[in-house]
Structures are given as C-alpha cells and as structure tokens.
Amino acid sequence: MAKLGVNVDHVATVRNARGTSFPDPVKAALIAESHGADGITAHLREDRRHIRDEDMARLKASITTRLNMEMANTDEMVAIALKLKPYMVTLVPERREELTTEGGLDVVRFETGITETVKKLETAGIHVSLFIEPSEEQIRASHKVGARMVEFHTGVYCGAFESGGLEGATQALDALLQGARLGVSLGLGINAGHGLNCDNVEPILAMEGLEELNIGHSLIADAIFFGIGPAVERMKALIATPVLAK
Ligand code: PXP
C-alpha cells in the first residue's frame, strides 16, 4: 500500500494570514501522524510564505515518522537541509510569483547542478527525490543524476480530472502509468503528488511501484470541515481500498 505523506504547508498559510502563533503546523503534523500519516512533508520556500525555518526545526524534533523537506535547489536551501538532516529532500522548481509549484523540475537542463546536490545530500544520508513531469526524458535524466526517487507531478492529471472526470484524464493518467513503469525499470522509487484529493486519488494507485503520495491542500481543506485526523483517516482508507484500474 502506498504511504501517505501529509503536507502541512497550508496550516502555516492560515497562521501567517494573521501573524499569530496558531494554527501550528507542528501540532497538525502530530495529529496527522496519530491518525495514520506515514510521513510529514513541508516546503520551505525562498520567500517563507508559509513554512518557516523554525517550523522545519520543530517538525524534525517533534514528529515520529519521516520528514520530507521540499525545497528549491539553491545554496541556501542545501545548507539548511544539510544542517537539518530530514529523512528526505524533494527538489522542486520554484518561482516567487507562482501560487504553488507549477510544473516539474527540468532535470535535463539543470543536470550538473542537480547532480552535485544529489551527491551532497545523499553523502549526508539524506534521501533525494526529484519532482518531475512523468516524461521519458526527465525520468531518464533523474536516473542519470543519481536520484533514488522521483515524485511525479500529478497536476496535469488532476486538472484534467477536475474538468473532464476520469475519461477526460485518461491521457494524463496513461502518462503517469507509463512513467512509473519506466522509472521502476530503471530502479527508481516512485512517489506522486500535487492536486490529489479524495475524488481523483484512486486511479493513481495503479501506478507501478508507487511508494508514497504527498497530499496537502485538499487534506487541509477537508480538515476545515472534518478535522485533520478524520481527513487523514479518510484518505488513508481510500488508499487502502482495492483499486479500480489495477
Ligand atoms: N508534492 C510536491 C513536490 C509539492 O510541491 C506539493 C505542493 O507543495 C505537493 C506534493 C502537495 O500538493 P497539494 O498541496 O496540491 O496536495
């Protein structure tokens, strides 16, 4: 069964909207863990718009599952990761003006820099995953730079599902399924995330070798109505359910 990494960024978004100390993303992480989260994910963005440096340190010190630090491949972030030593780093592209991570990392274009970072982090005992589109060239490049894992950007699939349901998302789903097969054949671990929710998650579970889903926005949105514990439990139950498309 695929693991569930709960992304707590948007608990910090709500906190920062009022400059208070609550709601606390660390508290959310601990509740999520007690309701079945297999890991906690947080994105330390260059502009610190949600998660802050002290949140990362408190998450590392407090959680009992695995910390996945999402970050851009910059000298500043690499230095922070080497000091923090999360279980895993997921390298993502980042642009200040974007609302959320748009598109995957261009591993082909930034091969040299990514190779260096993967080596530095892996040497320090930190697993590295690359957040990429499920295209053959990006998957092969991810293997070439020495990453042990990739996380497929599911945004295109989720967008297509939102407007056209499963039928409308067939092409995007096929790209993910094919990409997973290629990744597994190269020995890469496969994660997936971005835009996943209770309606669109099931078909994704048919991806070969799927190890972990990273889900944030929809879980925090559901938590407004049900509480974060029940929201995590509901997603875990869906992931545990035998899937349609296997
Ligand atoms: N995975 C990665 C690499 C991301 O950048 C994000 C968004 O921060 C997510 C997963 C989670 O996406 P969402 O918040 O849409 O569930």
Side-chain angles (χ1 to χ4, degrees):
M1 181 176 133
K3 290 185 162 54
L4 174 62
V6 174
N7 180 316
V8 294
D9 292 351
H10 295 306
V11 179
T13 302
V14 176
R15 175 195 62 190
N16 298 355
R18 293 297 294 270
T20 49
S21 58
F22 62 87
D24 180 7
V26 179
K27 185 170 177 185
L30 297 179
I31 298 173
E33 281 186 326
S34 71
H35 288 264
D38 301 292
I40 299 298
T41 297
H43 185 173
L44 186 66
R45 296 186 72 102
E46 266 188 286
D47 62 8
R48 313 301 200 266
R49 71 173 70 156
H50 37 57
I51 292 293
R52 299 173 180 151
D53 300 57
E54 60 269 26
D55 295 326
M56 293 305 304
R58 288 171 55 239
L59 283 169
K60 174 72 199 305
S62 313
I63 68 170
T64 52
T65 58
R66 315 183 317 183
L67 179 61
N68 173 21
M69 175 181 180
E70 290 176 3
M71 58 177 230
N73 183 21
T74 63
D75 291 346
E76 183 202 13
M77 287 301 154
V78 172
I80 292 172
L82 288 171
K83 199 162 158 226
L84 183 73
K85 289 200 188 308
Y87 172 81
M88 175 162 92
V89 157
T90 301
L91 291 180
V92 302
E94 206 176 287
R95 287 189 305 120
R96 272 175 191 263
E97 64 273 24
E98 69 193 357
L99 277 181
T100 179
T101 316
E102 288 166 4
L105 199 60
D106 192 342
V107 189
V108 177
R109 181 163 167 216
F110 299 110
E111 184 186 319
T112 311
I114 294 173
T115 305
E116 276 171 25
T117 298
V118 169
K119 200 164 163 207
K120 272 189 208 156
L121 295 173
E122 287 281 354
T123 304
I126 302 165
H127 298 320
V128 182
S129 175
L130 304 179
F131 188 50
I132 59 168
E133 297 294 337
S135 77
E136 180 173 351
E137 58 167 2
Q138 296 297 340
I139 296 166
R140 291 197 184 279
S142 299
H143 178 244
K144 195 169 164 210
V145 299
R148 64 169 72 208
M149 264 170 296
V150 288
E151 177 175 335
F152 289 149
H153 195 310
T154 49
V156 173
Y157 160 79
C158 293
F161 195 102
E162 176 89 18
S163 49
L166 185 52
E167 210 179 317
T170 309
Q171 207 180 332
L173 180 61
D174 280 351
L176 290 163
L177 298 178
Q178 267 185 41
R181 271 197 293 277
L182 174 61
V184 167
S185 76
L186 295 171
L188 290 165
I190 309 290
N191 300 332
H194 208 282
L196 294 173
N197 59 38
C198 287
D199 295 328
N200 62 25
V201 74
E202 283 206 44
I204 289 289
L205 301 175
M207 284 167 65
E208 199 176 312
L210 182 64
E211 292 182 16
E212 182 169 312
L213 296 174
N214 283 305
I215 306 181
H217 185 254
S218 72
L219 282 177
I220 304 308
D222 285 348
I224 290 173
F225 300 111
F226 313 122
I228 188 149
V232 169
E233 280 175 13
R234 186 160 160 242
M235 184 58 78
K236 283 283 288 191
L238 276 172
I239 294 172
T241 309
V243 208
L244 344 148
K246 273 236 156 128

